[in-house]
Amino acid sequence: MTTRQAAGPVDGAKSPAATLTTLDAQAVTIEDGLWARRQTVNYETALPHGYRMLEEAGNLENLRIAAGHSSAPYRGPVFMDSDVYKWLEAAAWELGRRPNDWLRTTSEATIDLVAAAQGADGYINSFYTVAQPGRRWTDFAHGHELYCAGHLIQAAVALRRATGGERLLAIAQRFTDYLHSLFGPGRKVATPGHPEIEMALVELYRETGERRHLDLAAFFLEHRGRGWLGPGRYNSSSSYQDRVPVREATGVEGHAVRALYLTTGETDVYLETGEAALLGALNRQWHDLVSRKLYITGGVGGRHHSEAFGQPYELPNDLAYCETCGAIASVMWSWRMLLATGESRFGDLIERTLYNAVLSGVSLTGDRYFYVNPLASNGEAEHLSRGGCIRKDWHLVACCPPNVMRQVATFGHYMATRDGSGLQIHQYAPARITVDLGTGPVMVVRMETAYPWDGRVRLSVEQAPTTARALSFRLPAWCSAPSARVNGKPTTPGPNGYLRVERAWQSGDVVELELPMEPRLIEAHPWIESTRGCVAIERGPLVYCLEQADHPDATVADLEIDTAAPLESSWVPGRLEGISVVRGSGWAVDAGSWKGRLYRPIGRGSSAARRRTTLTAIPYYAWANRGPGAMRVWIPRSPAGSA
């Protein structure tokens, strides 16, 4: 397999309704900093660890059984194959960035296994081949057959784009031919209980040019929202996004990952068709998400029951679900909305979600994972759910680990786009970007920055087109006073969330951004019950938290913050691989006067003693990397007059 220039995970190069165009998969090279470190850990540790766990958990053995190579019993849930496909997709993007003999041979051996498990009719699904033969397509709500098919297609497209490999694509196309023989106008009607196939089919259309794949994706969308799946185990078709037709939707509801995979697929269909009704519904749903159902970290899903969105402003902290896959789904959706509209608000949410809700899902070592990402923890082990304060090396439902792997591997894909006028930079990291703007030589720029720790960004032009082109830079919504210079001369940021500079660029030209990163206190909407009377700390794109490891003389649950006191930040190179910590002043409350009581009348010894203390906050993504311990994002404000 050899590398080649091709699209990344989303190929928007020819999408008729796209405002912005995606770059080639190899256009962006992350050269240093936080994301370079995360990609190195992904490449060196996470992928080998993930493959071992796929072997230990039975995912690979299930495919061997389906292929007739083993007589062992089937192990695991119905969707075990999908984790293999996500691992293959992550491996593909990493192979596209740098060769690796073990990763190449392991990927090829895994493709051999998938090929052997494929039936004569093109069908692949180890659960229905081994555990429930004869029951194909009998449980659309929970069977995950189309979900697994979608991940197979995405992995196949990734391998072709990143490495030039065609074998898995041929397997996926045989399976897709089989799907076309079953579903579509005049054939079987279906609503996938777990959306995924829609975005995969659109990407297969983009890769092959076969319109029938786009049409089948639209067919699945067309039949959703009519209660076809029934109330199911959650007593409502809303859990499966089957309550309201997609064009009539006004909000996000039900299972959070399913909901946002669906809106991602809808946006893909919009990008190819330009149907205004779809975009209108998507804008309504995105507004509902960010104005009423989004955690400050970018996490989604406030209910463990059905892993779902709750009511508006229902955002508990210790019981936050915030599944890692939900955060990844949010990034995928906002990226497509950014391509559709060019609006900076979508880049802002991508940034918030990547740095906080996605990175928190994996340990700094790359081999431990959160399924659930709470915003508060008492530090005790959780025995009754997927929550708690200890990341696991794998999960019975292991959708999140390989999903994180493919997200980290493709971070560069979300950094920049192009259009007819020039190049747009949406995310900041030390990187080299090469892009063909269609006018003579390709444009090559190098970005230097210590982002997200420092808001200074220096972009130098190494090679320029022969005609004037625009460079545009997203000005993050968290930054209240951005400034910029071009070759040392001040320039004025624009009003639309981007700094746009158009000129005839020359080698050696420099654009410098200043995005001041003073720590700031954030308050929540008063209708969010769990944050009433509290504030959170942010600095730059990062949300911060208090962790027990930094407060040996107090219990995190007893800490209050003095909102009138200044916040100060400092770089600590030896802590958590190097972070900026934020320190403030507050009080530690002495809860000893309660003496084991859970409730008491006010006024009877209710003025608990307080002592002054320093609060030390770390980035939320880095918590739970120093052993079990309490943590909180939202900090109670000290009562007026505390001393």
Side-chain angles (χ1 to χ4, degrees), residues 66 141 153 208 265 282 457:
I153 293 167
T208 65
L282 290 163
V457 180

Side-chain angles (χ1 to χ4, degrees), residues 35-222:
W35 284 103
R37 171 62 181 163
R38 297 273 54 83
Q39 288 190 330
T40 297
V41 170
N42 199 48
Y43 177 83
E44 295 179 350
T45 301
L47 280 163
H49 169 79
Y51 193 80
R52 289 193 299 271
M53 298 311 298
L54 290 172
E55 193 67 81
E56 290 182 19
N59 303 68
L60 297 171
E61 189 68 12
N62 289 339
L63 288 169
R64 293 189 190 100
I65 305 165
H69 298 168
S70 171
S71 58
Y74 182 93
R75 283 194 287 157
V78 66
F79 38 74
M80 294 286 276
D81 294 357
S82 65
D83 298 331
V84 177
Y85 302 144
K86 280 183 279 189
W87 184 92
L88 277 171
E89 183 181 350
W93 297 122
E94 291 290 1
L95 281 169
R97 293 195 304 114
R98 44 186 164 177
N100 179 303
D101 288 341
W102 177 84
L103 205 52
R104 176 180 56 81
T105 56
T106 303
S107 296
E108 290 176 349
T110 306
I111 295 170
D112 289 340
L113 186 55
V114 175
Q118 187 166 35
D121 58 1
Y123 182 84
I124 312 173
N125 189 293
S126 66
F127 179 82
Y128 285 97
T129 299
V130 175
Q132 292 194 5
R135 292 187 56 80
R136 295 182 190 177
W137 315 117
T138 59
D139 185 1
F140 284 93
H142 305 105
H144 286 74
E145 287 167 279
L146 289 169
Y147 171 83
C148 290
H151 280 299
L152 170 62
I153 293 167
Q154 288 179 316
V157 169
L159 278 157
R160 188 190 204 200
R161 290 175 179 173
T163 72
E166 301 275 354
R167 292 178 58 232
L168 193 62
L169 186 65
I171 294 167
Q173 286 181 302
R174 280 191 62 209
F175 194 4
T176 307
D177 288 342
Y178 168 76
L179 296 179
H180 282 290
S181 73
L182 292 179
F183 306 108
R187 293 182 289 280
K188 191 177 183 68
V189 172
T191 298
H194 196 310
E196 160 67 23
I197 188 66
E198 299 87 351
M199 67 174 104
L201 285 169
V202 176
E203 211 59 53
L204 187 61
Y205 159 69
R206 291 168 176 155
E207 186 66 14
T208 65
E210 294 185 43
R211 175 79 190 201
R212 63 188 181 129
H213 302 320
L214 173 62
D215 291 341
L216 185 56
F219 175 83
F220 286 135
L221 292 179
E222 186 66 35

Side-chain angles (χ1 to χ4, degrees), residues 376-387:
S377 171
N378 64 4
E380 298 293 329
E382 177 56 68
H383 303 293
L384 296 176
S385 75
R386 300 187 183 116

Side-chain angles (χ1 to χ4, degrees), residues 221-521:
L221 292 179
E222 186 66 35
H223 290 86
R224 183 174 292 278
R226 293 168 171 80
W228 188 81
L229 290 168
R233 65 181 67 162
Y234 299 110
N235 199 35
S236 173
S237 58
S238 64
S239 179
Y240 316 108
Q241 294 72 51
D242 194 31
R243 187 181 68 86
V244 179
V246 294
R247 293 166 183 82
E248 299 174 17
T250 59
V252 288
E253 64 180 24
H255 189 285
V257 178
R258 299 182 193 218
L260 301 192
Y261 274 21
L262 177 62
T263 53
T264 299
E266 289 177 53
T267 313
D268 275 323
V269 171
Y270 165 77
L271 287 168
E272 302 307 320
T273 65
E275 184 187 343
L278 279 178
L279 184 60
L282 290 163
N283 272 315
R284 291 193 299 270
Q285 290 175 284
W286 197 87
H287 178 73
D288 178 57
L289 171 66
V290 299
S291 65
R292 305 198 299 175
K293 297 174 183 175
L294 185 74
Y295 280 93
I296 190 173
T297 58
V300 295
R303 288 187 180 179
H304 283 240
H305 183 69
S306 186
E307 306 179 343
F309 290 106
Q311 296 290 341
Y313 309 103
E314 184 186 340
L315 296 167
N317 292 321
D318 52 347
L319 293 179
Y321 206 70
C322 290
E323 182 183 341
T324 304
C325 282
I328 293 169
S330 175
V331 170
M332 293 193 299
W333 180 26
S334 286
W335 176 244
R336 288 156 174 82
M337 293 295 284
L338 177 61
L339 297 178
T341 66
E343 295 177 11
S344 63
R345 58 185 172 131
F346 299 111
D348 288 335
L349 183 53
I350 289 170
E351 177 182 74
R352 176 176 294 276
T353 308
L354 282 173
Y355 279 106
N356 301 293
V358 173
L359 281 186
S360 64
V362 58
S363 66
L364 297 178
T365 57
D367 57 0
R368 297 291 184 272
Y369 299 90
F370 276 145
Y371 189 109
V372 176
N373 293 271
L375 276 72
S377 171
N378 64 4
E380 298 293 329
E382 177 56 68
H383 303 293
L384 296 176
S385 75
R386 300 187 183 116
C389 59
I390 303 174
R391 293 183 180 86
K392 297 181 180 180
D393 58 0
W394 209 243
H395 300 276
L396 174 64
V397 177
C399 51
C400 298
N403 218 2
V404 171
M405 294 174 205
R406 64 177 187 156
Q407 180 71 77
V408 171
T410 56
F411 171 75
H413 180 68
Y414 298 93
M415 284 189 66
T417 56
R418 61 180 173 85
D419 64 8
S421 69
L423 175 68
Q424 302 83 39
I425 308 294
H426 306 290
Q427 306 299 332
Y428 299 109
R432 191 170 187 265
I433 303 173
T434 302
V435 58
D436 185 354
L437 296 177
T439 54
V442 297
M443 189 169 206
V444 181
V445 298
R446 172 166 270 112
M447 193 177 347
E448 299 170 275
T449 180
Y451 205 90
W453 314 114
D454 190 296
R456 288 171 290 187
V457 180
R458 184 180 190 272
L459 187 134
S460 57
V461 177
E462 296 185 348
Q463 182 173 295
T466 54
T467 59
R469 282 291 180 263
L471 286 178
S472 300
F473 304 85
R474 181 180 60 87
L475 302 174
W478 55 259
C479 183
S480 60
S483 62
R485 297 183 299 276
V486 179
N487 294 333
K489 297 181 179 179
T491 187
T492 303
N496 63 346
Y498 285 89
L499 166 69
R500 187 177 187 274
V501 182
E502 184 170 2
R503 57 182 282 147
W505 297 96
Q506 297 181 353
S507 177
D509 284 345
V510 173
V511 180
E512 297 169 287
L513 295 181
E514 290 282 350
L515 306 171
M517 285 189 175
E518 296 301 320
R520 57 195 181 273
L521 294 176

